Amino acid sequence: MPTTIGGDLFRWYNLSRYKIDVKAVAASIFVERFLGVVAAVALAFISLALIFFLMHDSWGYFDEVAWSLLAIVVMGTVGAALLWVILKNTSGRISLPINKIPILGKLRQVLAMCYAFRSQRSMLSVVWVWTFIEQAFSIIVTFLLARALQIDVSILELIAVVPLIILAVRIPISFEGIGVQEGLYVGLLGLVGVPGVEALVLSALTRFVFIGCSLPWGIHFLFSGNRRALDSPQAATS
């Protein structure tokens, strides 16, 4: 599925089996994604600033892709701004003539729950910081993989490139960002002199590493006693 959507549906379904209000789960996912977009946009602005610094000697070539990079950041910024406007203007005190439509009425309840998160600003700040660190950690992983493959690229160049790729992949353009990530790796790393074949291998290896890191936890979930306990009658009545 498009990036993060499959995981969100998986989490929504499994938490609902714990008899947790599905609207509350949807609201928490919605707010988390909002924080993720804000963190990705913040990193992308840092990347753009660094790209302008690194590419000043080859501005003529960089000018061909500058508008595309700026468009990625602008799309992320607009998305975060729209989510903020929706949350800010949707609360339990606002009466909208949509309650007669079941789906829209439930959506309004979810948005009202999202709006209620504003009273948890300290918690939201902690989540945002951890989200920022988690996305920045991808730069370190990519750098270590590049060193393992003996690809001549510096950590500063990866800081300028990887966050833009992360932001673009989160846009639901293709299934799991396939094609988008690979194209951006080839195009953006080409700006700093990395051959297309090496950039493509680095992109594929990055994808496999993250899948490999997640796979043990998926196997644990499938065969652990916690999952069987979740299906038990006791869990249904707890």
Side-chain angles (χ1 to χ4, degrees):
M1 301 191 70
T3 306
T4 73
I5 294 180
D8 290 340
L9 291 177
F10 180 83
R11 176 172 49 174
W12 178 80
Y13 170 73
N14 280 279
L15 287 177
S16 66
R17 295 165 66 193
Y18 279 107
K19 305 304 178 182
I20 299 176
D21 186 359
V22 293
K23 295 187 290 294
V25 176
S28 68
I29 294 174
F30 193 80
V31 172
E32 180 192 350
R33 290 304 165 212
F34 171 75
L35 296 175
V37 171
V38 173
V41 168
L43 275 171
F45 273 114
I46 296 174
S47 295
L48 276 181
L50 194 54
I51 282 181
F52 277 93
F53 173 75
L54 294 175
M55 299 296 171
H56 66 279
D57 292 331
S58 55
W59 180 256
Y61 176 66
F62 173 68
D63 187 58
E64 298 177 3
V65 296
W67 289 109
S68 299
L69 298 176
L70 187 60
I72 293 174
V73 178
V74 169
M75 288 178 65
T77 305
V78 170
L82 288 176
L83 289 175
W84 170 251
V85 170
I86 291 173
L87 295 180
K88 187 176 181 180
N89 293 279
T90 306
S91 67
R93 299 189 301 272
I94 297 179
S95 178
L96 298 176
I98 63 176
N99 290 329
K100 296 182 179 180
I101 305 177
I103 295 179
L104 294 181
K106 292 180 180 179
L107 178 60
R108 178 180 179 272
Q109 294 176 12
V110 171
L111 294 178
M113 291 181 178
C114 293
Y115 184 81
F117 273 92
R118 66 172 186 166
S119 62
Q120 304 292 332
R121 294 182 180 179
S122 60
M123 180 270 292
L124 294 177
S125 300
V126 172
V127 173
W128 185 88
V129 170
W130 278 112
T131 303
F132 186 90
I133 294 174
E134 182 246 344
Q135 294 185 17
F137 187 73
S138 299
I139 301 172
I140 300 176
V141 173
T142 306
F143 175 72
L144 293 176
L145 291 175
R147 293 294 296 271
L149 296 172
Q150 297 182 353
I151 297 176
D152 185 17
V153 61
S154 68
I155 186 66
L156 283 179
E157 291 167 342
L158 290 177
I159 293 175
V161 168
V162 173
L164 293 173
I165 298 175
I166 293 175
L167 179 60
V169 168
R170 287 180 177 270
I171 301 174
I173 298 175
S174 66
F175 293 107
E176 195 55 37
I178 296 176
V180 177
Q181 174 177 311
E182 288 72 17
L184 288 174
Y185 262 92
V186 173
L188 295 181
L189 289 179
L191 296 175
V192 295
V194 177
V197 174
E198 294 183 357
L200 186 60
V201 172
L202 180 60
S203 173
L205 187 57
T206 300
R207 190 182 292 276
F208 281 121
V209 165
F210 280 105
I211 292 176
C213 291
S214 303
L215 189 59
W217 305 105
I219 296 175
H220 172 74
F221 174 80
L222 289 175
F223 296 100
S224 67
N226 291 332
R227 185 175 186 272
R228 290 190 295 269
L230 180 61
D231 297 322
S232 67
Q234 289 81 4
T237 58
S238 63

